[in-house]
Amino acid sequence: MLCLGGLSVALALALVPGPGEALKEGECEVCVSFLGKFYQTLQDDEVNFNSADIEKAIVKSCRDAKGKENRFCYYIGATSDAATKMINEVSKPLSYHVPVDKICEKLKKKDSQICELKYDKQLDLTTVDLKKLKVKDLKKILEEWGESCKGCAEKSDFIRKITELMPKYAPAAARARTDL
């Protein structure tokens, strides 16, 4: 009987998460990045660090978020179409100046999808051969710029639109391409 009690205590200790549950390098990159930038803007704007003001600021910041950051906002409940509300799991710790990686660690325990978000790999427009990219990638470039290609039917149409808009959105890449 004593052996069985010792075994259950050992099993319980093995299942309790220890201090080794810290985020690994590159894990939760969208969460850490978004909350890091958000915390910095709170400090720069000298926002009152209470939970209610931080919640309002998160919702406002999430209105402008795009791509993976918008998906992160959806997961924490800071978008209008979100099904859940975990926004207080972010605002309360931020009001106490808890480091963002610790907040993301806690969010990971609540919803593992938050840490599965990763930023898309950025293309180097100065060196990439647009003709070798897939149409999906060309569309993504335009989407990141907030542009669309109405009437584009072929790959060459998308390439033409990108090279046309490149001086506006990626001037350094446009200059490097003309130097080639």
Side-chain angles (χ1 to χ4, degrees):
M1 190 67 160
L2 184 61
C3 181
L4 196 58
L7 184 62
S8 62
V9 167
L11 183 62
L13 288 174
L15 294 176
V16 173
E21 292 292 315
L23 294 177
K24 296 173 185 76
E25 185 66 35
E27 195 175 23
C28 290
E29 72 176 296
V30 174
C31 177
V32 171
S33 168
F34 181 80
L35 289 180
K37 288 187 282 189
F38 176 71
Y39 182 74
Q40 191 60 48
T41 56
L42 288 178
Q43 288 181 321
D44 294 346
D45 297 345
E46 296 178 13
V47 172
N48 206 2
F49 273 87
N50 63 44
S51 194
D53 288 347
I54 291 173
E55 272 188 41
K56 288 177 195 168
I58 288 174
V59 171
K60 184 178 176 217
S61 179
C62 283
R63 272 190 231 125
D64 302 328
K66 289 182 176 33
K68 302 291 183 183
E69 292 181 348
N70 181 273
R71 179 61 38 196
F72 169 75
C73 289
Y74 174 80
Y75 288 153
I76 64 168
T79 59
S80 58
D81 62 339
T84 60
K85 290 281 185 202
M86 291 192 332
I87 197 166
N88 62 333
E89 299 288 335
V90 175
S91 61
K92 190 164 267 168
L94 274 177
S95 68
Y96 300 130
H97 302 280
V98 174
V100 292
D101 55 331
K102 294 293 180 192
I103 296 170
C104 292
E105 222 174 279
K106 191 175 270 189
L107 288 173
K108 180 183 178 185
K109 291 175 187 168
K110 298 263 183 201
D111 186 356
S112 63
Q113 295 179 80
I114 289 172
C115 283
E116 291 169 5
L117 288 172
K118 301 238 184 280
Y119 286 113
D120 295 329
K121 194 172 63 174
Q122 290 294 331
L123 294 172
D124 183 12
L125 291 174
T126 56
T127 58
V128 73
D129 185 1
L130 295 175
K131 293 176 187 150
K132 290 185 179 178
L133 291 178
K134 296 178 180 175
V135 173
K136 179 177 122 182
D137 295 328
L138 296 171
K139 285 181 179 178
K140 195 183 294 182
I141 291 170
L142 289 170
E143 185 183 304
E144 285 173 4
W145 291 347
E147 297 283 345
S148 64
C149 193
K150 300 274 190 249
C152 291
E154 295 182 11
K155 188 178 198 175
S156 59
D157 297 333
F158 287 100
I159 292 171
R160 190 176 319 108
K161 184 75 169 181
I162 288 171
T163 52
E164 202 177 284
L165 293 169
M166 200 177 287
K168 181 179 177 183
Y169 293 102
R175 279 193 301 276
R177 285 183 149 317
T178 56
D179 293 343
L180 295 176

